[in-house]
Structure formats: C-alpha cells, structure tokens
C-alpha cells in the first residue's frame, strides 16, 4: 500500500514520528511537506496529498495540522476525497469500514504520538466493509 502524508508547521513534529513508524511497519510513504517547522499554509499540503491519491500515486493519505480541522476541511473540498478527522481509535475503524475514507486527518495538538500511532494503525489495518448500505450512502456525496 502506498501512502501520502502531509502536514503544516503544527503537525510537522508528529509527522516525523509517523513517518518513522510507517517505515518500521514496512509501508511506502511519500512526504509531500511541509519540510520544517516554519509557519506555512495547510491547504497547500492538503492539496498535494489529495492529488497523489486522485492520480494513483498513493492509495491512502494522512494529513496532520494543529487540530486536524483545517486539513479535513481543505481535503474534503477535493472531488473523490473522503477525509475523516479522527482523534480516537473507534472513529478511525468506523470511517474505514463504513465511509471508505481515503484520508486520515489528525491534530498534533489534540493527540499525543502514542495515540496518533494507534489511530493510524487502526485506519491502515481496517478495510471498507463494502456493504450495500454503506455504498449507497457514499454514493450520495461522491
């Protein structure tokens, strides 16, 4: 599975830990920025990660900013993107099973690294159920 990951300055440090964790798990992850802790605009990096998913360079994406809210709002403006803001493991599992989410958004100032990695693992290890009722619901907004 190919992953695209991006952050703004608020999520930069957590992104570094996430990248190391993904590498240890054997995932191929491309970092689309930002590349330091200097103040920057999150929509730039959200767009880059979403484009990677839309053009097939990545299967799933992870976006991290201070709260995760800005990233999720920006990502959900992109056609074909189903971004979910998750700050707990249950939501990460449910959004993959029921919503076929293809982008996970998190807030580095909301969750610590330990919880963030559990959320990511759950998101990546959970498949879409494919149930007709979920497909029908996704169709409404796709």
């Amino acid at each position: 599975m190919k992953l695209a990951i991006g952050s703004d300055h608020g999520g930069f440090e957590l992104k570094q830990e996430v990248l190391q964790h993904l590498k240890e798990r054997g995932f191929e992850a491309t970092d689309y920025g930002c590349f330091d802790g200097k103040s920057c605009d999150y929509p730039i990096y959200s767009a880059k990660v979403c484009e990677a998913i839309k053009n097939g360079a990545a299967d799933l994406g992870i976006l991290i900013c201070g709260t995760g809210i800005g990233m999720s709002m920006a990502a959900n403006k992109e056609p074909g993107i189903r971004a979910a803001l998750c700050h707990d493991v249950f939501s990460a599992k449910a959004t993959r099973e029921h919503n076929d989410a293809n982008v996970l958004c998190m807030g580095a100032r909301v969750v610590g690294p330990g919880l963030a990695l559990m959320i990511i693992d759950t998101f990546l290890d959970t498949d879409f159920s494919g149930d007709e009722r979920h497909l029908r619901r996704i169709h409404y907004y796709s």
Side-chain angles (χ1 to χ4, degrees):
M1 177 183 319
K2 296 178 292 185
L3 304 175
I5 186 166
S7 74
D8 69 356
H9 56 282
F12 175 74
E13 287 185 31
L14 179 58
K15 182 181 67 171
Q16 301 316 300
E17 294 189 46
V18 169
L19 284 165
Q20 181 60 38
H21 179 72
L22 295 173
K23 182 179 177 182
E24 290 169 5
R25 287 208 50 203
F27 285 104
E28 178 186 336
T30 302
D31 184 354
Y32 286 88
C34 70
F35 299 106
D36 57 40
K38 294 179 187 167
S39 182
C40 61
D41 297 329
Y42 63 83
I44 294 168
Y45 305 103
S46 173
K48 290 180 180 191
V49 167
C50 292
E51 184 58 33
I53 292 168
K54 293 189 304 186
N55 72 25
D59 302 303
L60 296 173
I62 299 170
L63 291 169
I64 307 168
C65 65
T67 63
I69 296 167
M71 285 291 201
S72 65
M73 293 172 74
N76 278 313
K77 299 275 187 192
E78 301 279 346
I81 298 299
R82 293 174 306 282
L85 175 59
C86 298
H87 290 140
D88 61 84
V89 171
F90 177 80
S91 297
K93 182 174 177 60
T95 199
R96 287 290 298 135
E97 285 182 343
H98 298 185
N99 308 118
D100 197 18
N102 53 11
V103 176
L104 171 65
C105 300
M106 291 188 304
R109 296 177 182 141
V110 179
V111 297
L115 178 56
L117 299 181
M118 287 190 287
I119 292 167
I120 289 167
D121 286 346
T122 301
F123 185 83
L124 297 177
D125 295 341
T126 303
D127 293 322
F128 177 52
S129 72
D131 289 351
E132 187 277 328
R133 65 189 169 126
H134 298 307
L135 287 167
R136 182 179 66 244
R137 293 167 185 161
I138 291 168
H139 176 73
Y140 281 110
Y141 56 84
S142 294

